Amino acid sequence: MVIDILLQVGLLLVSVFMFLLMHNIPQKAFARFRVYRSRSETQAKRHFVLGAQLFSRAQAEAQANKKDAAMALAKSAAEEADKAIAIDPKDAAAHILKALALDLQVIFWPESHPTSTNPGQHLRGFEPETLGGIWSKSNP
């Protein structure tokens, strides 16, 4: 008699668990817990998307030869990329966005800036003649 009751309870439990698994109820319940872990990732994505939109607008302004607006938008895009990098430094997309924004800023570097007379002065010591190896003049 006791064995029959235990067998019926066991079969009932197996059928309940099979029903729950077939309808993905455990996955739906655990998805709510995963939301709390990925809030920082969501914030990083939000900053990245905002930065990408600003960069796109900066490119459009650059093609329209509006240098001041392009510089301001590129600077804002770089700031948003910095925010995304601060939240998620392993995300390569934010680093690429920052590089693109900084590259666009260098294109419109003002002529009145002190380094504009010699733009490569920060690379002093890296001339091909001083590096040797494949850069030396003796190699054809």
Side-chain angles (χ1 to χ4, degrees):
M1 173 93 172
V2 174
I3 294 175
D4 293 338
I5 293 174
L6 290 176
L7 184 61
Q8 286 179 357
V9 168
L11 286 174
L12 181 67
L13 286 175
V14 167
S15 62
V16 166
F17 285 123
M18 292 294 287
F19 174 79
L20 292 175
L21 288 175
M22 285 181 1
H23 292 286
N24 293 327
I25 292 175
Q27 286 85 1
K28 292 176 185 175
F30 289 129
R32 292 182 184 164
F33 295 120
R34 276 185 256 144
V35 170
Y36 295 113
R37 281 191 300 175
S38 66
R39 284 193 184 192
S40 62
E41 293 173 7
T42 305
Q43 285 180 340
K45 291 275 188 201
R46 184 175 58 92
H47 286 296
F48 170 74
V49 168
L50 183 59
Q53 289 172 345
L54 289 169
F55 177 72
S56 176
R57 288 177 45 201
Q59 279 185 323
E61 295 291 331
Q63 289 176 354
N65 290 328
K66 297 178 181 176
K67 294 181 180 182
D68 294 335
M71 275 291 277
L73 288 169
K75 189 174 185 179
S76 298
E79 289 171 359
E80 289 296 326
D82 278 334
K83 290 176 187 175
I85 290 170
I87 294 171
D88 188 10
K90 292 183 180 180
D91 187 18
H95 290 282
I96 293 170
L97 175 65
K98 183 176 179 182
L100 290 171
L102 291 176
D103 186 42
L104 190 62
Q105 287 179 14
V106 169
I107 290 173
F108 293 114
W109 196 261
E111 295 297 324
S112 62
H113 198 273
T115 60
S116 63
T117 58
N118 189 3
Q121 72 182 8
H122 62 282
L123 298 175
R124 201 167 288 151
F126 291 101
E127 288 83 18
E129 298 83 28
T130 61
L131 289 176
I134 61 169
W135 294 100
S136 64
K137 291 183 178 179
S138 61
N139 291 342

